Amino acid sequence: MLGTIINTCAIITGTIIGSLLHTSIKEKYKNTIYDGLGLVCLALGINASISHFKESEFPVLFVLAIAIGGVVGTRLDIDNRFQQLTKKKSKGDTRLGQGLSTAILLFCIGPLSILGPVMSAVHGDNTFLYTNATLDLVSSMIFASTYGMGIIFSAPVLFLWQGTFYLIASLSHEAIHPAMMADLLIVGGLLITASGLSLLGIKNIKTLNYLPALLVPVIWYLVSSLL
């Protein structure tokens, strides 16, 4: 878990540094960074999805995942509940919710953040997690310089996310099917792309309503292994 702890601390450190810069950056520059983050999300999201299509054993699984996950998430109204919660925490700042949700997706949904804890648990190799920590340190500084200290709430989410993969891999590394991780990255890439479209104002997508889509590949492969 050392790699995950360091990754979590990197986000906390980056957020603190970025938040100190938050008040000194003029609004026009914050808007520029805001648009830049949108472009980054589009690039990372599209790349994550396309580059893992060939690794999926069920090419249409991501379609089912997005459809089922979207319906479930909309029924639970996840996005609106999250936005209302962050609005209260940030004293009415409506942009924090969107920024925090985007940060969480970028920090958690990626090859390094998913494969890292598995490599750590199975082989004791924290290389992926140390690399991810460096990237997240810089990313959290940029997010916090735009959205403020609220980005720090992404740190415990990352810890729980990576900790879950670490625990599962520690108990049985065979439970982490490579094809399942590929489908997780495809679905996650689509969610990051959706966040990018929202940040750029192209289409206001309630990205968090699609979070249950990440459970569909897990359930699919779990059921498949039992049959």
Side-chain angles (χ1 to χ4, degrees):
M1 286 291 288
L2 178 61
T4 292
I5 293 173
I6 291 177
N7 201 162
T8 304
C9 291
I11 292 176
I12 294 174
T13 302
T15 299
I16 293 173
I17 296 174
S19 64
L20 293 176
L21 301 173
H22 178 64
T23 55
S24 61
I25 299 178
K26 294 181 179 180
E27 193 64 30
K28 63 178 181 180
Y29 296 120
K30 289 182 182 179
N31 289 332
T32 299
I33 297 174
Y34 189 78
D35 290 340
L37 289 173
L39 292 173
V40 168
C41 286
L42 286 181
L44 293 177
I46 292 172
N47 179 68
S49 294
I50 294 177
S51 62
H52 291 91
F53 277 145
K54 61 180 179 295
E55 300 170 25
S56 175
E57 292 184 354
F58 305 97
V60 297
L61 182 57
F62 78 95
V63 179
L64 294 174
I66 290 295
I68 296 172
V71 170
V72 173
T74 300
R75 179 67 181 84
L76 296 175
D77 200 17
I78 298 174
D79 194 274
N80 185 58
R81 293 174 187 272
F82 181 82
Q83 300 299 336
Q84 291 301 317
L85 177 62
T86 54
K87 188 176 180 180
K88 290 179 181 179
K89 295 292 184 181
S90 60
K91 298 179 181 179
D93 186 356
T94 57
R95 289 177 61 170
L96 175 61
Q98 190 175 42
L100 182 56
S101 63
T102 302
I104 290 173
L105 288 171
L106 281 177
F107 295 154
C108 294
I109 310 298
L112 296 177
S113 197
I114 293 178
L115 296 176
V118 175
M119 293 291 290
S120 179
V122 177
H123 303 292
D125 184 359
N126 289 309
T127 304
F128 280 5
L129 290 176
Y130 292 155
T131 302
N132 201 53
T134 304
L135 295 173
D136 288 350
L137 173 66
V138 177
S139 298
S140 58
M141 288 174 59
I142 296 173
F143 272 102
S145 68
T146 307
Y147 300 104
M149 195 65 181
I151 297 299
I152 203 168
F153 291 115
S154 62
V157 176
L158 174 104
F159 181 82
L160 293 174
W161 172 262
Q162 291 188 359
T164 299
F165 280 98
Y166 183 91
L167 179 61
I168 294 174
S170 297
L171 296 174
S172 173
H173 66 272
E174 293 180 355
I176 307 294
H177 198 288
M180 181 190 74
M181 288 195 287
D183 282 305
L184 280 174
L185 290 169
I186 292 172
V187 175
L190 290 175
L191 299 188
I192 294 174
T193 302
S195 291
L197 293 174
S198 296
L199 287 175
L200 292 170
I202 297 174
K203 173 68 176 178
N204 184 24
I205 302 174
K206 294 186 176 182
T207 310
L208 294 183
N209 281 348
Y210 290 93
L211 277 182
L214 292 169
L215 294 175
V216 175
V218 177
I219 295 173
W220 177 276
Y221 284 98
L222 178 60
V223 172
S224 297
S225 66
L226 297 175
L227 297 178

